[in-house]
Amino acid sequence: MSRAFTAKIITANDLLAGDVIYLTADDQWSRHHAEAELIEDEAHAQLRLLDAARAKSAVGAYLADARKGQNGPEPVHFREAFRMRGPSNYAHGKQVEPDHV
Amino acid sequence: MYNYTDFDAHFVRARTAQFAAQVERRISGALTEDEFKPFRLMNGVYLQLHAYMLRVAIPYGTINPRQMRALAQIADTYDKGYGHFTTRQNIQFNWPKLTDIPAILSDLADVGMHAIQTSGNTIRNVTADHFAGAAADEIEDPRPVAELLRQWSTDHPEFQFLPRKFKIAITGAPNDRAVTRAHDIGLRMVRNAAGAPGFEVIVGGGLGRTPIIGATVRDFLPKADLLPYVEAVLSVYNMLGRRDNKYKARIKITLHETGKEELSRLIEARFVELRAQFGGNDQALLAQIEAAFSAPDLRRADTAAYGAFYKADPVFRSWADTNLAAHRDPDYRIVTISLKKHGDTPGDATSAQMRLIADLSERFGHSEIRISHEQNVILPHVHLSDLPGLHAALRGSGLETANVGLISDIIACPGMDYCALATARSIPVAQQIATRFEELKLEHDIGPLKIKISGCINACGHHHVGHIGILGLDRAGVENYQITLGGDGTETAVIGERAGPGFAYDEIVPAIERLIAAYLKQRENAAETFLQAYRRLGLGPFKAALYPDEGKRNAA
Ligand code: HEM
Ligand code: SF4
């Protein structure tokens, strides 16, 4: 039996700045995890990943586990939580960007 | 030190221009990421978790004050005001924008630096003993040979597409400070019975997922045969190395699968062919390079003030006891400037610190600076009478920590704070261990101890050769830390032994504390180091300290 599909988001790094970006439902790349499209269907996920791979401004798009949260999708794995925040040794990256949510 | 010839300068400029054009084509969409990736890797550009990363070579760990200031300038202009010195004598900038990288490479070229072959399946930056040219135990300065290897390997057409990366380390002293036994080729200078200098050639060492201590394929290779011999090793590896499986592609696996005897036979056969072709050109070039590495004119001055200062100032004394090493001239010392202030990130230096180091090397150190694989900075030639002044100038800068070789002098890879391959964080673990033992005021009592931390099985933090090694893993979506004990990266190299099941993120520091308590209790006297005690006692008592509940369970 194949494992049940769990919800995903699509994330990548920005081509120019290299920072973490998320694919939104309206085909934009957002800096905010909570604005990502939460994908709950496996076939749709594969299609969206193809869309993402075609995007010129995104590098290395992949599907990451996510769950529904109060203000939008939240990361499941600690790796995605770190990507959403930035490094733990300095206040750098997303955690200090002015419009961080 | 060696300065670029016109050829070198032109080569680096041409490569910078070439890469700038490749970046432009990537941004315009003319190159896909798959097409661009091999180009960027050839020029030291990675994409990490939060940003691009640029890895700049500090060949054989040698850098001059002008270059250090250029690194500071790059950190301020294009990054976040700091750089990270690594176990392979490189510096990494963690936040450059892709669009800025060509300008950074151009700034580097201005001072004779580059990022060529700091990544990719090529011969990487050749690393050397960080005390090279100064150490009391040295036979010869190994850096001219390292420079020869750099010139030979840079853009060598035969070795641009090796089965996998290839790392060479070299030391000019019998005491191995360059971890030569854990490199694809390790070169350790020795003398033969007649007293002539040559190399023990060690092949097939490596860490990563399959840690292997290299095999000695030649006990004594005359110095003059070095380059054809190294080329023979590369040539055999290039032919036999497995290209079908990335995890089996390093020469250590070739060694394992082919066997030392057969591999040696192939190397020797190829060596005979190649030596004939070299025709002495390599030796002529080496002679030129050697001239560029002439030692500084050491000065003569009264040393009495040093002794008086040492007696009078306990803070200076503590620093002198840990951070100085013997120089070949008895009136000089090798100074290690610690980049391991308790609680800070191992190996990071701010731009202000880089500038201070550059200034101090000019004031007190004959303008020489080295970077160690242990992620510290070395001033290799400081006169005894200058040590108090140097120490005073370091105070307050965050560079005055007296902890070299102690428990807080930790090697840590970037781990999951930066690295896309990581399975767990390593930096905060290092920070917490250092902070904890500083609170306990125990580290000088504990004495020499090397803790090394990697954030995944690639082992960039050398955990296998740490007296205490810590490997961060992902166990079912949670960070988990495995401990290895008894590793050694010197001439008596040993891969550490796994102690048992791993520890959660918040359990790892207490686990290390129990381990150290067990050592302090069991050591014969204060002179017996952790590693010596481990060798005498074996895993048993340390395992019992790490897993106290297990003992209870067995006793019940
Ligand atoms: C973008 C960051 C990095 C990446 C992608 C990376 C990748 C890797 C990989 C894949 C290996 C295993 C090679 C193998 O077993 O075939 C490795 C080994 C190693 N890396 Fe890194 N690394 C990174 C950062 C670093 C840093 C920061 C250092 C120095 C502090 C470093 C030094 C080493 C060393 C010493 C080894 C083990 C020796 C060996 O090659 O067997 N790496 N690295
Ligand atoms: S050991 Fe792993 S986590 Fe650490 S730098 Fe190397 S690849 Fe990254």
Side-chain angles (χ1 to χ4, degrees):
Chain A
M1 205 182 83
S2 68
R3 255 194 303 163
F5 182 78
T6 54
K8 302 275 189 293
I9 51 124
I10 288 175
T11 179
N13 289 75
D14 180 70
L15 172 65
L16 301 181
D19 62 336
V20 176
I21 51 178
Y22 303 96
L23 188 64
T24 65
D26 61 350
D27 272 331
Q28 304 296 307
W29 288 99
S30 164
R31 256 70 192 171
H32 307 293
H33 194 289
E35 289 173 9
E37 174 185 11
L38 190 70
I39 307 171
E40 293 177 287
D41 172 78
E42 185 161 16
H44 183 58
Q46 292 306 326
L47 279 176
R48 293 297 281 154
L49 191 57
L50 286 176
D51 291 340
R54 270 193 294 271
K56 275 199 172 158
S57 60
V59 184
Y62 63 93
L63 295 163
D65 285 333
R67 66 168 83 88
K68 199 172 283 170
Q70 288 250 301
N71 305 307
E74 292 172 354
V76 171
H77 193 277
F78 61 90
R79 183 178 194 268
E80 294 307 319
F82 293 145
R83 286 180 80 240
M84 185 178 84
R85 274 202 306 270
S88 47
N89 60 332
Y90 297 117
H92 288 159
K94 290 206 179 327
Q95 59 200 329
V96 289
E97 275 150 26
D99 55 349
H100 180 70
V101 282
Chain B
M1 72 187 260
Y2 180 81
N3 283 309
Y4 278 10
T5 61
D6 287 349
F7 176 87
D8 299 328
H10 176 79
F11 175 81
V12 171
R13 289 280 173 209
R15 174 65 84 85
T16 302
Q18 196 181 40
F19 186 61
Q22 287 158 351
V23 169
E24 229 167 77
R25 281 186 282 149
R26 175 69 185 109
I27 292 170
S28 78
L31 288 175
T32 65
E33 183 61 18
D34 286 348
E35 291 164 334
F36 178 62
K37 193 172 173 183
F39 295 144
R40 70 167 160 80
L41 287 181
M42 275 181 198
N43 294 286
V45 181
Y46 285 80
L47 186 51
Q48 304 207 98
L49 285 181
H50 312 292
Y52 286 97
M53 179 271 277
L54 177 67
R55 183 184 287 165
V56 177
I58 300 170
Y60 33 87
T62 295
I63 178 170
N64 66 34
R66 184 163 161 255
Q67 292 170 324
M68 189 64 112
R69 290 191 185 99
L71 295 178
Q73 187 62 35
I74 288 168
D76 284 339
T77 313
Y78 307 105
D79 206 274
K80 295 190 188 292
Y82 77 101
H84 177 70
F85 291 101
T86 80
T87 47
R88 295 217 75 261
Q89 297 177 319
N90 296 306
I91 181 169
Q92 298 188 170
F93 292 108
N94 282 324
W95 301 93
K97 291 186 170 49
L98 181 60
T99 38
D100 286 337
I101 290 175
I104 300 176
L105 293 177
S106 169
D107 290 358
L108 288 169
D110 290 344
V111 293
M113 295 184 85
H114 63 73
I116 297 166
Q117 289 180 211
T118 58
S119 48
N121 294 333
T122 54
I123 300 170
R124 302 289 188 87
N125 184 30
V126 176
T127 52
D129 179 0
H130 42 270
F131 292 168
D137 59 357
E138 184 170 271
I139 297 171
E140 255 182 39
D141 188 343
R143 292 173 303 152
V145 172
E147 175 59 28
L148 181 69
L149 287 167
R150 170 166 79 142
Q151 296 192 10
W152 158 85
S153 65
T154 300
D155 220 24
H156 193 305
E158 193 178 333
F159 306 131
Q160 291 304 295
F161 298 93
L162 292 168
R164 197 79 178 88
K165 57 170 90 163
F166 201 92
K167 299 178 180 173
I168 302 177
I170 182 166
T171 172
N175 294 312
D176 183 359
R177 286 175 289 261
V179 206
T180 58
R181 288 178 196 280
H183 281 75
D184 297 279
I185 294 180
L187 300 166
R188 182 167 157 264
M189 198 175 276
V190 288
R191 286 187 195 280
N192 65 5
F199 290 98
E200 178 192 2
V201 183
I202 301 147
V203 165
L207 301 173
R209 66 176 64 213
T210 324
I212 290 184
I213 298 296
T216 299
V217 292
R218 266 283 190 119
D219 290 317
F220 183 82
L221 180 76
K223 219 178 113 189
D225 287 341
L226 186 95
L227 201 52
Y229 198 89
V230 168
E231 184 159 325
V233 175
L234 260 301
S235 170
V236 169
Y237 167 61
N238 208 10
M239 184 178 69
L240 292 184
R242 288 183 55 174
R243 287 178 156 84
D244 61 318
N245 181 342
K246 169 170 157 175
Y247 301 119
K248 298 196 167 166
R250 295 288 290 271
I251 194 172
K252 61 190 174 187
I253 305 294
T254 317
L255 168 71
H256 185 70
E257 292 183 346
T258 313
K260 179 183 150 180
E261 224 165 277
E262 176 62 5
L263 190 66
S264 303
R265 192 190 64 75
L266 291 166
I267 293 169
E268 293 294 333
R270 183 71 181 135
F271 168 61
V272 170
E273 289 170 3
L274 284 171
R275 187 173 48 178
Q277 292 170 20
F278 269 70
N281 291 322
D282 55 323
Q283 292 307 300
L285 184 57
L286 181 61
Q288 279 172 30
I289 295 171
E290 274 172 345
F293 280 94
S294 58
D297 291 326
L298 298 182
R299 65 194 189 87
R300 294 290 143 228
D302 186 25
T303 59
Y306 167 76
F309 211 87
Y310 182 87
K311 269 204 204 103
D313 182 341
V315 178
F316 175 72
R317 188 160 62 237
S318 164
W319 178 79
D321 285 344
T322 49
N323 294 34
L324 303 183
H327 193 280
R328 61 183 151 74
D329 185 306
D331 289 354
Y332 271 73
R333 290 292 180 276
I334 301 171
V335 175
T336 300
I337 296 176
S338 170
L339 295 183
K340 312 290 176 66
K341 183 177 169 200
H342 303 100
D344 281 5
T345 303
D348 279 9
T350 64
S351 55
Q353 290 175 330
M354 292 183 212
R355 291 190 179 99
L356 179 64
I357 290 165
D359 293 348
L360 295 179
S361 79
E362 286 168 346
R363 267 174 70 195
F364 300 116
H366 297 271
S367 299
E368 292 212 16
I369 308 168
R370 310 283 164 70
I371 305 303
S372 78
H373 84 268
E374 296 188 313
Q375 303 181 286
N376 290 315
V377 176
I378 315 290
L379 301 186
H381 311 286
V382 183
H383 191 268
L384 280 175
S385 64
D386 285 328
L387 288 167
L390 170 62
H391 182 251
L394 289 172
R395 288 180 85 162
S397 70
L399 294 172
E400 71 276 34
T401 313
N403 65 346
V404 171
L406 303 182
I407 193 169
S408 60
D409 185 8
I410 299 172
I411 292 185
C413 81
M416 204 178 275
D417 290 303
Y418 298 91
C419 177
L421 302 178
T423 42
R425 286 171 294 173
S426 37
I427 292 170
V429 174
Q431 292 174 306
Q432 286 163 30
I433 292 172
T435 307
R436 180 63 187 143
F437 283 91
E438 169 70 359
E439 279 164 15
L440 295 173
K441 294 285 170 224
L442 262 184
E443 69 175 335
H444 290 269
D445 187 21
I446 296 164
L449 177 61
K450 293 190 192 295
I451 296 186
K452 304 184 195 259
I453 311 176
S454 305
C456 80
I457 57 167
N458 288 324
C460 303
H462 286 186
H463 66 276
H464 296 117
V465 293
H467 303 164
I468 299 175
I470 302 175
L471 164 62
L473 294 168
D474 173 350
R475 285 278 178 262
V478 184
E479 286 169 297
N480 187 274
Y481 294 87
Q482 221 170 60
I483 293 180
T484 51
L485 294 172
D488 174 4
T490 69
E491 65 283 357
T492 46
V494 177
I495 302 291
E497 217 174 328
R498 233 187 93 185
F503 295 88
Y505 182 74
D506 55 1
E507 292 172 347
I508 183 68
V509 180
I512 299 297
E513 230 180 292
R514 291 199 298 281
L515 206 51
I516 297 304
Y519 155 66
L520 290 175
K521 207 167 127 206
Q522 307 249 1
R523 69 179 174 187
E524 281 186 321
N525 52 52
E528 188 182 44
T529 65
F530 179 88
L531 187 61
Q532 287 164 346
Y534 182 81
R535 287 182 170 166
R536 179 172 59 83
L537 295 163
L539 191 57
F542 298 101
K543 197 164 174 156
L546 281 174
Y547 308 101
D549 293 346
E550 217 149 278
K552 271 183 233 151
R553 222 178 301 136
N554 291 343

